[in-house]
Amino acid sequence: MFDEWTGAKGMNMTKSTQPADNQFQPQRSFDDAAQARVYLKSRLCGAFWHFASLGFDEGIAGIVTVRDPEDVNTFWTNPITVPFAHMTPDQLIRVDGATGLTVEGEGVVNLPAFSIHAEIHAARPDTQAAIHLHTTYGRAYSSLGKLLEPITQDHTAFFEDHAIFDDFTGIVFDRVEGKQIAAALGDCKGVILQNHGLVAVAETLDAAVWWFTIFDTCCHISLLAEAAGNPVPLDDDVARLTAEQIGNHQVGYASAQRLLARAVGARTNIGDRS
């Protein structure tokens, strides 16, 4: 059985099971890799439509990579020339993790961005998806060169679960910096690339969509709070407890369902714009 977030048949990447499983929509499972792939590609398009609706599609910078359910060393992603709002499953490309070459589909990947993602996926076999987009608030907060403080409940999802990479030297044209970013990320769900932006990863594409979305929102809230005064962070023990409650994979997956449903519904209402 191929699970929605399984990298290969029988290799479950879920880190933990939460006690409130019955409160959440279960992840989809499929009889074979072909079915899983079709679903994954449709879900990836939904993610791009969601990010387009937030204005996260800027130039050629943004990239989302999703591990193929069968050939786990290749990744479905966006070709560099297609706007997020226009993405369709047949426009997605599958790229080899070792070379960055397109092995299925038409078009090429943003190679500097893929150099980061390929190294993250290599270092983190538990990740199905990695997301890096050039958002306004993520870039603004990244210039401060510091981690997010747990100043709201939502911020606690990243408490002790995000990192900072503070060695920006320009566009990434080789894998060395990709390895360094992967090392900085460690086992966390997100990393702030100083003077650059945000990266979020997860065991499923859906959860990664939520973590990236709320990561950027937390940056926005922090910027507002710090501009207004001196925000008071939560006590570490309270932040740690809340993180256990809302920062786990199942909450991330469940939270993404409404975002993706809204994006798919909006696409259906306006018709195919590709």
Side-chain angles (χ1 to χ4, degrees):
M1 184 71 68
F2 282 81
D3 191 87
E4 183 183 341
W5 72 95
T6 298
K9 193 172 184 180
M11 186 175 72
N12 194 324
M13 292 180 178
T14 304
K15 291 179 181 175
S16 61
T17 301
Q18 303 300 322
D21 286 348
N22 61 349
Q23 296 183 18
F24 300 112
Q25 178 178 336
Q27 284 82 11
R28 294 282 298 273
S29 59
F30 303 89
D31 292 333
D32 57 47
Q35 291 180 353
R37 186 177 296 113
V38 169
Y39 177 79
L40 191 64
K41 291 171 68 176
S42 68
R43 211 66 178 155
L44 180 53
C45 286
F48 283 120
W49 303 337
H50 163 66
F51 289 132
S53 74
L54 297 179
F56 288 1
D57 183 10
E58 183 173 304
I60 60 174
I63 184 172
V64 181
T65 52
V66 182
R67 198 184 298 272
D68 184 76
E70 186 172 33
D71 186 350
V72 297
N73 295 314
T74 65
F75 304 89
W76 291 97
T77 188
N78 49 304
I80 199 169
T81 57
V82 180
F84 288 2
H86 296 176
M87 198 69 67
T88 59
D90 62 332
Q91 291 174 314
L92 296 170
I93 56 175
R94 186 163 61 93
V95 179
D96 177 64
T99 65
L101 297 177
T102 300
V103 296
E104 187 173 347
E106 305 250 344
V108 297
V109 71
N110 180 328
L111 196 54
F114 186 75
S115 295
I116 297 173
H117 282 227
E119 295 301 332
I120 288 174
H121 284 294
R124 291 281 302 274
D126 61 306
T127 61
Q128 183 191 57
I131 301 174
H132 170 59
L133 309 172
H134 283 193
T135 66
T136 298
Y137 302 115
R139 283 179 293 180
Y141 192 86
S142 77
S143 71
L144 301 180
K146 63 180 183 178
L147 295 173
L148 290 166
E149 290 191 276
I151 62 171
T152 73
Q153 174 177 293
D154 289 330
H155 282 71
T156 66
F158 299 94
F159 182 69
E160 298 177 337
D161 203 12
H162 75 297
I164 190 161
F165 176 74
D166 61 1
D167 191 24
F168 179 77
T169 57
I171 296 175
V172 180
F173 283 109
D174 59 48
R175 294 294 180 94
V176 174
E177 188 167 336
K179 291 180 185 294
Q180 293 170 340
I181 291 171
L185 174 66
D187 293 330
C188 297
K189 64 165 61 82
V191 59
I192 298 171
L193 309 182
Q194 186 173 312
N195 307 111
H196 189 171
L198 309 176
V199 175
V201 303
E203 301 157 54
T204 59
L205 169 63
D206 292 38
V209 168
W210 174 253
W211 297 136
F212 189 91
T213 303
I214 200 68
F215 204 5
D216 185 74
T217 299
C218 288
C219 288
H220 186 185
I221 293 168
S222 291
L223 289 167
L224 290 173
E226 291 183 22
N230 298 307
V232 179
L234 295 169
D235 176 82
D236 282 2
D237 289 340
V238 173
R240 194 171 292 116
L241 172 62
T242 312
E244 293 173 359
Q245 296 169 334
I246 71 165
N248 62 73
H249 171 261
Q250 287 182 317
V251 171
Y253 179 92
S255 298
Q257 302 313 303
R258 291 167 67 177
L259 301 183
L260 293 172
R262 183 170 57 195
V264 171
R267 172 80 173 197
T268 301
N269 290 337
I270 65 174
D272 184 0
R273 287 167 34 182
S274 59

